[in-house]
Amino acid sequence: MVKQKKIFLDESEMPRQWYNLAPDLPNPLNPPLGPDGNPVSPDMLAPVFPMNLIEQEVSQERWIDIPEEILEILVRWRPSPLVRAYALEEALGTPAKIFYKNESVSPAGSHKPNTAVAQAWYNKQFGIKKLTTETGAGQWGSALSFACSLIGLECKVFMVRVSFDQKPFRKMMMNTWGGTCIASPSMETQAGRNILAKYPDTPGSLGIAISEAIEAAVSDPTGETRYSLGSVLNHVMLHQTIIGLEAKKQLAKVGIKKPDVVVGCCGGGSNFAGLSFPFIYDKINGADIKVVGAEPFSCPTLTKAPFIYDHGDVAKMTPLLPMYSLGHTFIPAPIHAGGLRYHGMAPLVSAALKDGLMEAQAIHQSECFEAGLLFAKTEGIIPAPETTHAIASAIREANLAKEEGKEKTILFNFSGHGLMDLVGYEKYLNGELTDYEYPESEIGENLKMLDGYPLPK
Amino acid sequence: MVKQKKIFLDESEMPRQWYNLAPDLPNPLNPPLGPDGNPVSPDMLAPVFPMNLIEQEVSQERWIDIPEEILEILVRWRPSPLVRAYALEEALGTPAKIFYKNESVSPAGSHKPNTAVAQAWYNKQFGIKKLTTETGAGQWGSALSFACSLIGLECKVFMVRVSFDQKPFRKMMMNTWGGTCIASPSMETQAGRNILAKYPDTPGSLGIAISEAIEAAVSDPTGETRYSLGSVLNHVMLHQTIIGLEAKKQLAKVGIKKPDVVVGCCGGGSNFAGLSFPFIYDKINGADIKVVGAEPFSCPTLTKAPFIYDHGDVAKMTPLLPMYSLGHTFIPAPIHAGGLRYHGMAPLVSAALKDGLMEAQAIHQSECFEAGLLFAKTEGIIPAPETTHAIASAIREANLAKEEGKEKTILFNFSGHGLMDLVGYEKYLNGELTDYEYPESEIGENLKMLDGYPLPK
């Protein structure tokens, strides 16, 4: 008897609604604030985002219909498989059942297209012709180029220069889907020109790239360009909940009413939220589920940062968001999990942590790569460096179950494959990987800049 | 109503037997010949391959059971999805229904693991501890490293130096799965040392790498090392037939009794054989199916070469095989589809062509990359350069159906994704791609070396 490994849903069983955590939070979300300290109104965001997405951003509806045209594109790879990791369980000698939701099967190789497709579609509906965005390591820029290609929008990606130079394949991926990718800072925006005038050799940063992408959107005289963000915002979390909603149906197919532990890695928060929010809904309604966010020790937003109002970007172009933040000027150490090098955390994830609906673990990258290698050699797929954080955390939980002698069900999000990010593995295997210490004093300095800012309730 | 795109089989519906075309050929296969011109006996191959695989190589059984332990590994990604390419059909305005079998979902990104897993398992069963192989662009070396990792064998890959230097990520992939990858020619074998003494700056070739891999296997004094080949041989074709056997079941699920056209790209022949042989079986039994092998115009083995006895490698380490061949000294032009740059063709595929069971098309790489881009922008997945040949050929067939006004069913093999091979797309987009002419006179010279060799019947 060959054991069943993958649990599929028929396309006809795909969730028809996204889940919005906002109305179910024990304490209402603090609103985003403008430069004057007053709440930002939807109108003020209109030059940046289309109104249909702004409505989702502030929605208090629990369930939001997924338009059929979006489902038509998502079914190219969704429902994604839920996989029982028998070989990993055996290698660990754990009594736990480990399942992972395999989001690496999307054409861009990660969970990012779930929201890229939705955002591109809503923009197109609103009459927008072109999207701008920033990308660090390149996952998000690739996903948005992919989505714009299928939906029929132009796409322009400002890629942090150091990554642009180090990862030429990401740019080629975007080009193949018809996207334009340029190194940031660039001469195309005032923000870019200002930085280049001052620091001609700067490696760039995500903060600068965000500033350029927003400027490129709002300064288009035709008014037909908008900006798109791949994480952090409420509507991005919303679009990702299809992951957890599918996983619940898939677990039910093999007779599992609820997992005992749900794990995701946390950068801006979107893949974590996508898997976990539907289970946090059950938790709010009485289910006993441990929900764990795994983050890099060198960028410990959930485990060490204060809950404050801070900007989403270095250049303070975004409103103030209520979140755990290490300070918007904090530059995380150069770990390989580029997608987890973010100073803040999605307001919805921050609220879940503050309200005790989840807990967090910080992990060093050497432990993560060790976990990633074990996964590759047992389950077969090479994980993205970001994803190795979720695997390392799931392994910790599986070892705990072994100590306790409990047959727990552990579910984690396999957010992406690592075929475009193999350098980290090479360095780990060559013993060249550094585990960075957490720069407590530096963060203290960063946070001082926020003295006098309002505090969330 | 969201249209169904992917047709899945349950893991329990996976084929339990491989299909062997050999006993169904109208004319029996010519045997491989040794240096003396006499047929090679199984015993003579024993230092190179384990006896259980040699038995498969010469088997005349039509159906061969797939061991359950091999299925246990294949179910990590199999049955692979069969996908209806609605968006591509729409872009072409064709009345044809286009389906593709998505083999890119394997952890190594191509169809190669289907035989890598089987070969590793049979070697392990036979008591072998280590496999050696060669790789050109890296697909096969990655797949065998992956398989050895999961089965528990050592794996050593000799990678053609020019690819080793140009594609460092392939080596990292192999290392991540625990394989060893060294540039060929190397100082580790006599064959490599001889070449390096003569040509210290040689870029290497597949022929040299094969010689080194075979030498490394047969010269291991413990006798616990064997050699593994990723295409060409009968047992490799056999292991790949799971692709076509699944596809038949999947088409039946949507009420299609038979495709009208079946397309695969042809290098050594394994992905083509994997999809098409089960349909050629139907064709032999009376079904009206057009079977097309698509190959590069610059390496036109099926469309221009004679059917002869030739060596599988430049260094003449292999027996003489009965096949279409451009001559074992022919060095194909440097097209991006590295996996299709092979002078010969699998004896089983060659026999199918000779016996009129298939036809062939030669296509220039610019047409292929154009097809690949259209596929990426409609269906979403970026194809490997090899795979773009099958897509280009399927598009030709879809356009033909349009001209004829016929609602044909076209099925092709999506043999792999192109995430590790984006340079070709970049060059195509930049207008830097060359379409190489077919060097008729050069091949004439190569073939002269075979004067006096025996000819197959």
Side-chain angles (χ1 to χ4, degrees):
Chain A
M1 235 324 256
V2 179
K3 283 179 291 200
Q4 190 191 358
K5 299 213 169 41
K6 306 184 299 301
I7 303 141
F8 277 108
L9 292 181
D10 280 347
E11 294 177 4
S12 61
E13 297 171 289
M14 199 149 55
R16 256 50 185 176
Q17 296 181 307
W18 291 300
Y19 169 63
N20 181 12
L21 177 63
D24 290 322
L25 285 172
N27 298 297
L29 269 186
N30 287 274
L33 303 182
D36 57 359
N38 289 322
V40 169
S41 73
D43 281 354
M44 293 166 71
L45 295 172
V48 183
F49 300 109
M51 196 48 74
N52 46 15
L53 284 177
I54 296 171
E55 283 162 14
Q56 282 189 353
E57 184 64 20
V58 300
S59 172
Q60 286 290 317
E61 293 295 315
R62 178 176 296 134
W63 298 103
I64 295 180
D65 288 343
I66 309 177
E68 207 153 271
E69 295 89 341
I70 291 176
L71 289 170
E72 281 282 5
I73 293 181
L74 297 182
V75 292
R76 283 180 165 77
W77 70 96
R78 304 209 72 84
S80 71
L82 180 75
V83 188
R84 173 84 185 265
Y86 282 109
L88 179 61
E89 290 170 19
E90 201 185 315
L92 297 171
T94 179
K97 294 177 186 172
I98 305 177
F99 292 87
Y100 62 94
K101 185 72 170 154
N102 186 359
E103 291 294 308
S104 77
V105 299
S106 84
S110 78
H111 67 291
K112 291 282 184 192
N114 295 328
T115 186
V117 167
Q119 291 190 47
W121 187 83
Y122 281 109
N123 273 283
K124 175 102 173 177
Q125 281 296 105
F126 195 70
I128 300 305
K129 298 283 194 322
K130 181 174 175 178
L131 289 178
T132 65
T133 197
E134 75 291 330
T135 200
Q139 285 274 23
W140 170 244
S142 305
L144 194 66
S145 296
F146 159 78
C148 286
S149 166
L150 267 58
I151 301 261
L153 290 177
E154 280 184 71
C155 180
K156 179 157 207 160
V157 180
F158 292 85
M159 186 167 183
V160 176
R161 176 171 290 282
V162 57
S163 297
F164 184 91
D165 292 338
Q166 281 173 358
K167 301 192 169 192
F169 292 108
R170 281 288 179 189
K171 170 177 175 268
M172 293 181 199
M173 241 174 125
M174 296 178 223
N175 289 343
T176 299
W177 280 310
T180 310
C181 176
I182 60 171
S184 167
S186 76
M187 292 300 286
E188 297 200 7
T189 66
Q190 195 55 52
R193 288 188 293 270
N194 289 349
I195 295 277
L196 286 172
K198 247 178 153 168
Y199 312 103
D201 297 326
T202 175
S205 78
L206 213 45
I208 298 166
I210 293 177
S211 307
E212 288 203 87
I214 296 178
E215 182 186 327
V218 301
S219 64
D220 175 5
T222 68
E224 291 178 339
T225 301
R226 291 292 182 280
Y227 166 73
S228 176
L229 189 62
S231 192
V232 180
L233 297 177
N234 301 345
H235 66 274
V236 182
M237 308 295 123
L238 178 78
H239 301 153
Q240 293 292 359
T241 58
I242 195 166
I243 301 171
L245 294 166
E246 285 178 6
K248 277 170 88 163
K249 288 190 175 192
Q250 287 163 310
L251 286 174
K253 288 215 167 190
V254 288
I256 295 175
K257 284 185 190 157
K258 67 157 191 75
D260 299 294
V261 185
V262 174
V263 180
C265 63
C266 290
S270 80
N271 96 80
F272 169 80
L275 179 69
S276 70
F277 281 5
F279 293 101
I280 287 182
Y281 173 68
D282 293 346
K283 189 166 175 161
I284 290 168
N285 289 289
D288 179 18
I289 303 175
K290 178 178 180 179
V291 179
V292 182
E295 66 180 7
F297 187 86
S298 53
C299 187
T301 317
L302 292 167
T303 49
K304 299 272 189 179
F307 183 63
I308 53 180
Y309 263 119
D310 194 5
H311 295 282
D313 66 318
V314 186
K316 306 189 206 179
M317 302 274 288
T318 74
L320 286 167
L321 299 172
M323 59 184 181
Y324 289 91
S325 174
L326 297 163
H328 61 267
T329 53
F330 173 55
I331 308 288
I335 58 166
H336 288 276
L340 306 185
R341 295 177 66 241
Y342 186 64
H343 67 278
M345 184 55 60
L348 279 170
V349 175
S350 293
L353 181 66
K354 182 141 199 309
D355 288 344
L357 298 168
M358 62 173 284
E359 51 201 86
Q361 287 176 355
I363 314 184
H364 271 307
Q365 69 174 346
S366 57
E367 181 178 343
C368 295
F369 276 106
E370 188 186 343
L373 270 184
L374 179 63
F375 190 89
K377 290 182 177 180
T378 52
E379 294 299 311
I381 314 174
I382 299 176
E386 292 81 1
T387 308
T388 62
H389 289 71
I391 298 171
S393 181
I395 289 175
R396 285 185 180 185
E397 294 297 327
N399 288 335
L400 187 62
K402 188 176 173 179
E403 281 170 33
E404 297 172 346
K406 287 188 187 161
E407 198 191 282
K408 290 181 188 170
T409 297
I410 299 169
L411 167 66
F412 74 89
N413 200 8
F414 191 88
S415 53
H417 66 62
L419 297 187
M420 313 292 284
D421 305 276
L422 290 161
V423 174
Y425 286 95
E426 192 72 354
K427 288 206 174 149
Y428 175 76
L429 289 168
N430 293 341
E432 295 165 3
L433 212 65
T434 308
D435 278 337
Y436 296 95
E437 286 311 303
Y438 162 63
E440 197 130 8
S441 60
E442 184 191 326
I443 290 167
E445 282 304 308
N446 284 323
L447 291 173
K448 273 190 197 154
M449 298 188 192
L450 297 169
D451 283 351
Y453 275 53
L455 283 177
K457 285 174 223 160
Chain B
M1 230 330 253
V2 180
K3 281 179 293 199
Q4 190 192 357
K5 299 213 169 42
K6 306 183 299 303
I7 304 142
F8 276 108
L9 292 181
D10 280 346
E11 294 177 4
S12 61
E13 298 171 289
M14 199 150 55
R16 256 48 186 178
Q17 296 181 307
W18 291 301
Y19 169 63
N20 181 13
L21 177 63
D24 290 321
L25 285 173
N27 298 296
L29 269 186
N30 287 273
L33 303 181
D36 57 0
N38 290 321
V40 169
S41 72
D43 281 354
M44 292 167 72
L45 295 171
V48 182
F49 300 109
M51 196 48 73
N52 46 15
L53 284 177
I54 296 171
E55 281 161 15
Q56 282 190 351
E57 184 64 20
V58 299
S59 173
Q60 285 291 314
E61 293 296 316
R62 178 177 296 133
W63 299 103
I64 295 179
D65 288 343
I66 309 177
E68 207 153 270
E69 294 88 341
I70 291 177
L71 289 170
E72 281 282 5
I73 293 182
L74 297 182
V75 292
R76 283 181 164 78
W77 71 96
R78 304 207 72 84
S80 70
L82 180 75
V83 189
R84 173 84 184 266
Y86 283 110
L88 178 61
E89 290 171 18
E90 202 184 314
L92 296 172
T94 179
K97 295 178 188 171
I98 306 177
F99 292 87
Y100 62 93
K101 185 73 170 154
N102 186 359
E103 290 295 309
S104 77
V105 299
S106 83
S110 79
H111 67 292
K112 292 283 185 192
N114 296 328
T115 186
V117 167
Q119 290 190 47
W121 187 82
Y122 280 109
N123 272 283
K124 175 101 171 177
Q125 279 297 106
F126 195 69
I128 300 305
K129 299 282 196 320
K130 181 174 177 179
L131 288 179
T132 65
T133 197
E134 75 291 330
T135 201
Q139 286 274 22
W140 171 244
S142 305
L144 194 66
S145 296
F146 158 78
C148 286
S149 165
L150 267 59
I151 301 263
L153 290 176
E154 279 184 70
C155 180
K156 178 156 208 160
V157 181
F158 292 84
M159 186 168 184
V160 176
R161 176 171 290 283
V162 57
S163 296
F164 184 90
D165 291 340
Q166 281 173 1
K167 302 193 169 192
F169 292 108
R170 280 290 179 188
K171 171 177 174 269
M172 292 180 199
M173 243 175 124
M174 297 179 223
N175 289 344
T176 300
W177 279 310
T180 309
C181 175
I182 60 171
S184 166
S186 76
M187 292 299 284
E188 296 200 7
T189 66
Q190 195 55 51
R193 287 189 293 269
N194 289 348
I195 295 277
L196 286 172
K198 246 175 152 171
Y199 312 103
D201 297 326
T202 176
S205 78
L206 213 45
I208 297 166
I210 292 178
S211 307
E212 287 204 88
I214 295 178
E215 183 186 326
V218 301
S219 65
D220 175 3
T222 68
E224 291 177 340
T225 301
R226 290 293 181 280
Y227 167 73
S228 175
L229 188 62
S231 192
V232 179
L233 298 178
N234 301 344
H235 66 275
V236 181
M237 307 297 123
L238 179 79
H239 301 154
Q240 294 292 357
T241 58
I242 195 166
I243 300 171
L245 294 166
E246 285 178 7
K248 278 169 87 162
K249 288 190 177 191
Q250 287 163 312
L251 286 174
K253 287 216 168 189
V254 288
I256 295 175
K257 283 186 189 157
K258 67 157 191 75
D260 299 295
V261 186
V262 174
V263 179
C265 62
C266 290
S270 79
N271 95 81
F272 168 80
L275 180 69
S276 70
F277 281 5
F279 294 100
I280 287 182
Y281 173 68
D282 293 346
K283 190 166 174 163
I284 290 169
N285 289 289
D288 180 17
I289 303 175
K290 179 178 179 179
V291 179
V292 183
E295 65 180 7
F297 186 86
S298 54
C299 187
T301 317
L302 292 167
T303 50
K304 299 272 189 180
F307 182 64
I308 53 179
Y309 263 118
D310 195 4
H311 295 282
D313 67 319
V314 186
K316 306 189 204 179
M317 301 275 289
T318 75
L320 286 167
L321 299 171
M323 60 183 180
Y324 288 91
S325 173
L326 298 162
H328 62 267
T329 54
F330 173 55
I331 307 288
I335 57 167
H336 288 276
L340 306 186
R341 294 176 68 240
Y342 186 65
H343 68 278
M345 184 55 60
L348 280 171
V349 175
S350 294
L353 181 65
K354 183 141 198 306
D355 288 343
L357 298 169
M358 63 173 283
E359 51 201 86
Q361 286 176 357
I363 314 183
H364 270 308
Q365 68 174 345
S366 57
E367 181 178 341
C368 295
F369 275 106
E370 190 186 341
L373 270 183
L374 178 63
F375 190 89
K377 290 181 176 179
T378 52
E379 294 299 312
I381 315 174
I382 300 176
E386 291 82 0
T387 309
T388 62
H389 289 71
I391 299 171
S393 180
I395 289 175
R396 286 184 179 186
E397 295 296 326
N399 288 334
L400 187 62
K402 188 176 175 180
E403 282 171 32
E404 297 171 345
K406 287 189 185 157
E407 197 192 283
K408 290 181 188 169
T409 297
I410 299 169
L411 168 65
F412 73 88
N413 200 9
F414 191 87
S415 53
H417 65 63
L419 297 187
M420 312 293 284
D421 305 276
L422 290 160
V423 175
Y425 286 95
E426 193 74 354
K427 289 205 173 151
Y428 176 76
L429 290 167
N430 292 342
E432 296 166 1
L433 211 66
T434 308
D435 278 338
Y436 297 95
E437 286 310 303
Y438 162 64
E440 197 131 8
S441 60
E442 185 192 325
I443 290 166
E445 282 303 308
N446 283 323
L447 291 174
K448 272 189 196 154
M449 296 188 194
L450 297 169
D451 283 352
Y453 275 55
L455 284 176
K457 287 173 222 158

